Amino acid sequence: MADPTRIWTAALIVIGDEILSGRTQDKNVAQIATWLNVQGIRLREVRVVADDQGAIVEAVNTLRIRNDYLFTTGGIGPTHDDITVDAIAAALGVGVEIHEGARAMLAGYYDTRGGLTEARLRMARVPAGADLIENRMSGAPGIRHGNIFIMAGVPHITAGMLDSLTGMLEGGRPLLSATIGCWVAESEIADLLAATETAHEGCQIGSYPFFREGRTGANFVVRSTEADRLDGCVADLSAALERGGWAVTAGGI
């Protein structure tokens, strides 16, 4: 019987010079983290690396070993600088091959869009032994090799690939959360936060300060895999803040 307390983890490698240069703002971290939470998997690490084979190989071989799952985004398109497949194949010590299922998908998609050119055929290349992740958005599939999931960098295409994977990965309990906020400097209540978290096993409290309307405040996010524990921690934290003279706003400020 599976251990209900087991925490399943994932890492994400965001690949692309355009991310590091600031020309493109990444949106995949948030949507992948949110999706993983629902699957009962915690996103533990994120790395952003250049379109450099050595950097990708090093990141892949480090993160795939210390996490249950590894996701990558970017670098699987039709151009010469899309080197993710080659880099991951090198990391795994396997060759690169044309996946016939991917070839068929691409041929069908591009049948009325100019045909399957050599450049477009690059999107059928996979590390040897890989399976495909369905992509209903653009025809070019994602790739799965063991615990590695190789996905597009375009956020709406990534979202479609995640949808195809929903319910397919083994995970634990979904991570639940609740937010409260109040107008207080977090430095004033650091001990209160620590004491509340200590008193509620299985809960974590994150503090997120802000400055608005000329005042300092903070939102507090309580997380747990168990609804009863979550509710109890939120109730006790709210009561402690109210006793200290700080009005609490449910849902955050």
Side-chain angles (χ1 to χ4, degrees):
M1 183 175 179
D3 180 0
T5 65
R6 163 112 150 73
I7 296 176
W8 295 77
T9 68
L12 169 63
I13 304 174
V14 179
I15 300 168
D17 293 340
E18 71 279 6
I19 301 293
L20 289 168
S21 71
R23 289 191 300 271
T24 300
Q25 293 185 351
D26 177 78
K27 297 180 180 179
N28 282 320
V29 173
Q31 75 165 339
I32 290 173
T34 301
W35 180 85
L36 286 169
N37 280 339
V38 175
Q39 310 307 307
I41 302 165
R42 312 283 181 85
L43 181 60
R44 288 297 198 203
E45 302 179 70
V46 178
R47 286 197 192 183
V48 182
V49 300
D51 294 308
D52 174 85
Q53 179 157 318
I56 298 170
V57 168
E58 190 277 330
V60 167
N61 278 335
T62 298
L63 298 180
R64 72 184 176 96
I65 292 171
R66 67 186 186 209
N67 292 279
D68 295 298
Y69 303 108
L70 172 62
F71 290 77
T72 73
T73 59
I76 60 172
T79 60
H80 70 283
D81 60 342
D82 289 310
I83 63 170
T84 297
V85 167
D86 301 86
I88 292 178
L92 298 174
V94 301
V96 174
E97 62 187 17
I98 298 292
H99 193 292
E100 290 306 318
R103 184 204 293 268
M105 291 178 188
L106 290 163
Y109 182 80
Y110 286 110
D111 182 50
T112 59
R113 297 175 172 87
L116 185 56
T117 64
E118 285 299 313
R120 289 167 173 171
L121 187 60
R122 282 180 55 83
M123 294 185 287
R125 300 166 72 250
V126 303
D131 297 313
L132 303 180
I133 302 171
E134 185 180 2
N135 169 19
R136 304 182 186 93
M137 303 300 297
S138 68
I143 304 162
R144 176 176 184 173
H145 198 295
N147 71 333
I148 303 174
F149 299 83
I150 308 166
M151 301 190 298
V154 179
H156 75 275
I157 298 178
T158 305
M161 293 179 179
L162 292 173
D163 183 61
S164 297
L165 290 172
T166 295
M168 304 297 290
L169 278 61
E170 188 172 4
R173 295 170 176 169
L175 187 63
L176 309 174
S177 67
T179 303
I180 60 175
C182 62
W183 294 101
V184 61
E186 63 175 356
S187 59
E188 294 183 48
I189 57 166
D191 291 342
L192 183 155
L193 295 175
T196 305
E197 182 175 284
T198 299
H200 291 270
E201 184 180 355
C203 294
Q204 300 85 42
I205 301 174
S207 177
Y208 304 96
F210 57 82
F211 184 78
R212 300 178 197 158
E213 303 171 15
R215 294 193 290 168
T216 297
N219 286 314
F220 309 108
V221 180
V222 182
R223 300 179 177 91
S224 178
T225 58
E226 299 182 40
D228 289 347
R229 290 189 176 187
L230 177 71
D231 292 344
C233 186
V234 171
D236 284 356
L237 178 58
S238 298
L241 289 167
E242 294 279 359
R243 284 195 301 271
W246 300 290
V248 171
T249 301
I253 298 172

